[in-house]
């Protein structure tokens, strides 16, 4: 539908030329001293090229993105019961009617392990990666819509989020399929652009209605809804107005978005995550592709810290507001990163490991769980270009989380850079600057140079099955950033070569992913037995989906999705049965 309300006084900058400026810069091309060039045409005094436009959401799409693909199905699909044959586990797990003759090695249960009854056996997903319906029902464009459509090579298979899993219309069936497998928690993200097509300003009631029904459907199936406010889909207009997370205006706009979400959904949603993986947002999504967005002249290497600062302030403010609107809620941001193992026991490697924590998890965890401020290593670096947090800001940040939420996929080794830490810290052109921690995925020669574990698909080189390091990881988090509980808000695996398999029945056997979930669940059980209060496991992901810049070329789903329209059919993979079977085996009766 077309949103009739217009959003006033949008300031469009000429520097967003590929996207917007061509619509009006042709009016004047005089060349005066101090002029600059836009698309090869000299333009005088570019800052004067600002106009007040009244635009509709459709105009915004036309400016930023252009036409999008539309799925065959554009109305909500009702759920149908999952056929009981689809719920038969693979032969090595169950003995459901398979012919006799096979011998399955006996699985012994460790009787001293258990999952508490209240444990959240969950799955996770994110709006942009699954919903599709990009331009439907008043949604505004996000930076991901723009970049994937406009920037050549942005996704390695040229995919877009236009349709993906079409979960926007298929969520009822998706939730029914989770319930049929025994999943009791669903972590989804709300698209900011569905609630606020312009990022700020008028609220789109169709977006509200959609998530109301997602939430109600979860509850209908006894699944606890957990909502993430920001999983990377920045409203395009906010990116263009003030640089998205680079502009301090984002703090108020994000808080206002959060306010609407808490007040409209908080009666039913009690588990909230403000921001997904600030580290990934700030270090790998900024700077935005050059030439497509307004440029605020912040040096590339500084952008990540400007972003980090605004994210912390936005998170903390949204946390405080959330606690006042939904007092019986739990709220956290989702931190991320692998466990950091020192490559050797040298003190230099120990220092490198500490710097790696500081410039990854600690960058966000120290302020929230420990001090209200960044680690000193980070402060040493940013103090030359960022103002310190005021004592009032520190107060708001410190304690702005009810639990430690971690996307804990893997582990890797860290070691001192060849040049040494000191000389790296003094040399901003060192590629490891400013963290100055080197890393590797293989053990040292004394351990035979083995990789830390079997690798995921080559397009996810950061990911190995390293579940044997998980209990140490949890104990590290528990002692370093104490909080009442830990939730594993994402973990999962990209089965190697999965997207090059062609037979459905072969795709559904995903042995390394299955072993990952098996071992991971055991690792959680070990941590629980060591007294660490892990209250949720949210597997990434419940369906194959749009893996950001890797497009559909790598798969994280515990369900296969046939992306050929009109099918979009889902099928459970072996790993999904492994995951839920481990839970069923160990949950307290
Ligand atoms: C998460 N790393 O990102 C995201 O939250 C998901 O949206 C994404 O699909 C999923 O992991 C799988 O990639 C990560 O480099 C990105 O360590 C990178 C890393 C970890 C998580």
């Amino acid at each position: 539908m077309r949103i009739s309300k217009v959003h006033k006084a949008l300031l469009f900058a000429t520097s967003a030329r590929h996207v917007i400026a061509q619509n009006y810069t042709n009016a004047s091309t005089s060349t005066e001293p101090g002029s600059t060039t836009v698309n090869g045409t000299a333009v005088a005094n570019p800052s004067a090229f600002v106009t007040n436009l009244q635009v509709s959401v459709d105009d915004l799409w036309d400016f930023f993105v252009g036409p999008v693909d539309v799925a065959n199905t554009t109305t909500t699909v009702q759920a149908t019961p999952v056929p009981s044959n689809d719920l038969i586990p693979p032969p090595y797990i169950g003995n459901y009617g398979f012919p006799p003759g096979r011998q399955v090695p006996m699985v012994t249960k460790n009787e001293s392990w258990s999952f508490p009854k209240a444990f959240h056996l969950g799955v996770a997903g994110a709006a942009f990666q699954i919903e599709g319906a990009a331009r439907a029902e008043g949604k505004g464009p996000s930076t991901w819509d723009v970049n994937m459509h406009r920037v050549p090579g942005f996704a390695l298979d040229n995919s877009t989020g236009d349709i993906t899993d079409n979960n926007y219309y298929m969520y009822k069936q998706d939730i029914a399929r989770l319930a049929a497998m025994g999943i009791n928690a669903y972590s989804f993200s709300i698209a900011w652009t569905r609630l606020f097509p312009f990022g700020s300003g008028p609220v789109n009631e169709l977006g509200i209605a959609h998530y109301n029904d997602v939430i109600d459907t979860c509850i209908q199936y006894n699944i606890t809804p957990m909502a993430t406010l920001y999983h990377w889909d920045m409203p395009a207009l906010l990116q263009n107005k003030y640089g998205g997370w680079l502009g301090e205006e984002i703090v108020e706009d994000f808080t206002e978005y959060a306010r609407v979400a808490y007040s409209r959904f908080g009666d039913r949603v009690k588990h909230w995550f403000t921001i997904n993986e600030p580290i990934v947002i700030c270090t790998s999504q900024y700077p935005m592709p050059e030439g497509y967005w307004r440029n605020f002249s912040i040096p590339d290497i500084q952008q990540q810290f400007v972003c980090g600062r605004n994210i912390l302030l936005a998170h903390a403010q949204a946390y405080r507001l959330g606690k006042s609107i939904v007092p019986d809620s739990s709220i956290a941001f989702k931190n991320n990163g692998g466990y950091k193992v020192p490559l050797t026991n040298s003190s230099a490697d120990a220092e490198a490991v500490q710097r790696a924590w500081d410039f990854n998890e600690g960058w966000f965890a120290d302020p929230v769980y420990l001090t209200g401020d960044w680690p000193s290593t980070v402060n040493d670096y940013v103090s030359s270009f960022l103002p310190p947090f005021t004592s009032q800001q520190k107060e708001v940040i410190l304690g702005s989380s009810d639990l430690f939420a971690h996307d804990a996929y893997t582990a890797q080794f860290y070691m001192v850079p060849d040049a040494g830490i000191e000389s790296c810290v003094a040399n901003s052109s060192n590629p490891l600057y400013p963290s100055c921690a080197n890393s590797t995925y293989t053990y040292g020669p004394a351990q035979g140079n083995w990789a830390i574990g079997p690798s995921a698909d080559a397009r996810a080189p950061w990911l190995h099955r390293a579940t044997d390091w998980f209990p140490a990881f949890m104990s590290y988090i528990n002692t370093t950033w104490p909080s009442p509980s830990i939730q594993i808000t994402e973990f999962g695996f990209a089965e190697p070569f999965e997207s090059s398999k062609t037979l459905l029945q072969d795709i559904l056997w995903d042995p390394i992913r299955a072993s990952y979930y098996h071992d991971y669940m055991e690792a959680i059980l070990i941590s629980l037995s060591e007294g660490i209060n892990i209250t949720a496991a949210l597997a990434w992901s419940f369906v194959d989906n749009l893996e950001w810049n890797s497009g559909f070329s790598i798969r994280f789903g515990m369900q296969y999705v046939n992306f050929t329209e009109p099918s979009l059919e889902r099928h459970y993979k072996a790993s999904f049965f492994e995951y839920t079977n481990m839970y069923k085996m160990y949950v307290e009766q």
Side-chain angles (χ1 to χ4, degrees):
M1 74 146 226
R2 199 185 154 93
I3 293 281
S4 55
K5 252 189 198 169
V6 287
H7 191 228
K8 291 180 186 157
L10 303 171
L11 301 181
F12 288 152
T14 53
S15 53
R17 52 195 177 272
H18 295 290
V19 191
I20 289 169
Q22 285 155 348
N23 291 294
Y24 57 94
T25 47
N26 290 345
S28 165
T29 52
S30 69
T31 42
E32 310 237 310
S35 70
T36 195
T37 301
V38 171
N39 281 351
T41 307
V43 174
N45 187 14
S47 62
F49 280 82
V50 169
T51 186
N52 289 354
L53 291 181
Q54 297 208 338
V55 296
S56 68
V57 181
D58 276 338
D59 294 335
L60 208 57
W61 277 96
D62 293 340
F63 282 149
F64 273 110
V65 180
V68 301
D69 291 334
V70 176
N72 288 26
T73 303
T74 56
T75 52
T76 303
V77 180
Q78 295 306 313
T80 49
V82 179
S84 57
N85 282 0
D86 291 4
L87 294 167
I88 298 174
Y92 76 100
I93 289 184
N95 216 344
Y96 299 79
F98 291 99
R102 299 170 311 119
Q103 292 197 14
V104 181
M106 195 177 64
V107 182
T108 47
K109 183 182 166 194
N110 182 332
E111 295 296 339
S112 64
W113 289 343
S114 65
F115 290 109
K117 268 200 180 132
F119 193 84
H120 295 290
L121 178 77
V123 294
F128 184 76
Q129 296 178 268
I130 61 171
E131 284 182 354
R135 219 178 141 153
E137 300 200 336
K139 178 181 164 292
S142 76
T143 49
W144 279 90
D145 290 305
V146 178
N147 289 337
M148 294 198 102
H149 270 269
R150 297 273 174 139
V151 183
F154 196 74
L156 63 84
D157 57 1
N158 295 319
S159 44
T160 71
D162 292 358
I163 297 176
T164 172
D165 293 303
N166 208 22
N167 167 274
Y168 188 74
Y169 297 113
M170 296 171 74
Y171 61 95
K172 285 181 194 284
Q173 185 67 22
D174 276 340
I175 293 168
R177 291 182 62 80
L178 299 180
M181 287 294 281
I183 292 297
N184 65 29
Y186 175 38
S187 162
F188 57 92
S189 81
I190 297 169
W192 186 341
T193 50
R194 289 198 192 278
L195 265 48
F196 289 87
F198 304 97
S200 58
V203 173
N204 171 23
E205 287 298 328
L206 291 177
I208 301 269
H210 172 74
Y211 293 109
N212 267 333
D213 203 43
V214 170
I215 294 161
D216 289 345
T217 307
C218 286
I219 291 166
Q220 178 195 338
Y221 284 95
N222 281 319
I223 288 179
T224 303
M226 301 181 165
T228 298
L229 291 170
Y230 184 80
H231 198 125
W232 303 0
D233 38 2
M234 172 63 64
L237 203 51
L238 301 188
Q239 183 60 42
N240 210 49
K241 264 195 205 167
Y242 49 71
W245 291 113
L246 302 182
E248 55 191 28
E249 298 91 327
I250 197 74
V251 177
E252 288 311 315
D253 284 345
F254 179 73
T255 308
E256 175 59 12
Y257 159 51
R259 188 186 65 76
V260 169
Y262 294 134
S263 22
R264 302 298 291 272
F265 309 131
D267 56 336
R268 289 150 295 150
V269 177
K270 305 298 177 187
H271 298 261
W272 291 90
F273 302 109
T274 52
I275 294 169
N276 180 67
E277 302 189 347
I279 301 158
V280 178
I281 297 168
C282 297
T283 61
S284 64
Q285 299 177 24
Y286 288 93
M288 285 277 155
E290 206 184 322
Y292 294 85
W293 301 98
R294 204 170 147 197
N295 181 349
F296 292 86
S297 308
I298 304 170
D300 286 2
I301 192 162
Q302 294 178 11
Q303 288 193 17
Q304 50 183 284
F305 295 94
V306 176
C307 164
R309 189 173 199 281
N310 290 325
I311 283 196
L312 268 173
L313 293 170
H315 155 76
Q317 191 166 308
Y319 169 84
R320 305 285 167 199
L321 181 68
K323 298 305 281 186
S324 73
I325 298 177
V326 195
D328 57 341
S329 59
S330 81
I331 309 179
F333 72 97
K334 287 170 69 187
N335 209 327
N336 77 281
Y339 184 55
K340 296 165 205 356
V341 187
L343 183 64
T344 73
N345 59 12
S346 74
S347 57
D349 283 0
E351 192 187 342
V353 168
Q354 184 57 53
R355 293 188 66 89
W357 287 117
D358 288 353
F359 280 84
N360 287 278
E361 286 85 341
W363 180 19
F364 294 93
D366 281 19
V368 170
Y369 299 93
L370 276 188
T371 60
D373 202 351
W374 283 337
S376 58
T377 46
V378 175
N379 261 334
D380 285 348
Y381 172 60
V382 302
S383 56
S384 61
F385 58 90
L386 278 187
F389 290 116
T390 64
S391 52
Q392 204 199 345
Q393 287 171 329
K394 287 183 192 170
E395 239 172 73
V396 177
I397 293 170
L398 181 61
S400 60
S401 208
D402 298 317
L403 59 118
F404 199 98
H406 206 74
D407 294 355
Y409 282 81
T410 189
Q412 65 269 77
F413 300 99
Y414 281 88
M415 70 280 196
V416 59
D418 292 341
I421 289 173
E422 218 174 298
S423 85
C424 169
V425 171
N427 172 12
S428 62
S429 52
N430 188 309
L432 296 169
Y433 183 85
S435 87
C436 291
N438 206 350
S439 63
T440 172
Y441 301 110
T442 54
Y443 283 89
Q447 290 94 23
N449 296 306
W450 284 93
I452 194 160
S455 64
D457 192 280
R459 296 182 187 104
W462 54 276
L463 181 53
H464 294 76
R465 191 190 70 196
T467 44
D468 41 348
W469 289 102
F470 178 86
F473 195 178
M474 291 302 108
S475 140
Y476 183 86
I477 288 178
N478 199 41
T479 48
T480 312
W481 303 291
S483 72
S485 64
I486 299 176
Q487 295 190 346
I488 307 304
T489 39
E490 283 182 31
F491 64 114
F493 199 77
E495 185 76 12
F497 306 111
E498 197 169 270
S499 63
S500 48
K501 292 189 188 178
T502 52
L503 291 179
L504 174 64
Q505 58 272 37
D506 292 341
I507 294 168
L508 300 185
W509 273 105
D510 51 347
I512 311 184
R513 183 186 291 114
S515 71
Y516 175 96
Y517 281 116
H518 175 276
D519 293 5
Y520 206 113
M521 293 298 267
E522 289 194 343
I524 295 176
L525 288 159
I526 293 172
S527 290
L528 287 169
S529 75
E530 291 174 350
I532 294 176
N533 187 27
I534 301 174
T535 58
L538 307 173
W540 185 275
S541 183
F542 69 104
V543 278
D544 290 339
N545 60 59
L546 175 56
E547 179 54 22
W548 305 110
N549 305 84
S550 305
F552 297 99
S553 69
I554 52 175
R555 312 254 170 99
F556 275 87
M558 297 191 302
Q559 293 182 74
Y560 166 74
V561 176
N562 179 347
F563 287 109
T564 326
E565 284 243 67
S567 165
L568 293 175
E569 246 176 40
R570 282 79 156 132
H571 297 268
Y572 303 114
K573 297 178 192 174
S575 55
F576 207 149
F577 290 98
E578 188 68 68
Y579 180 46
T580 54
N581 188 56
M582 287 301 285
Y583 177 74
K584 284 172 194 156
M585 181 151 55
Y586 282 105
V587 67
E588 269 171 11
Q589 290 311 316

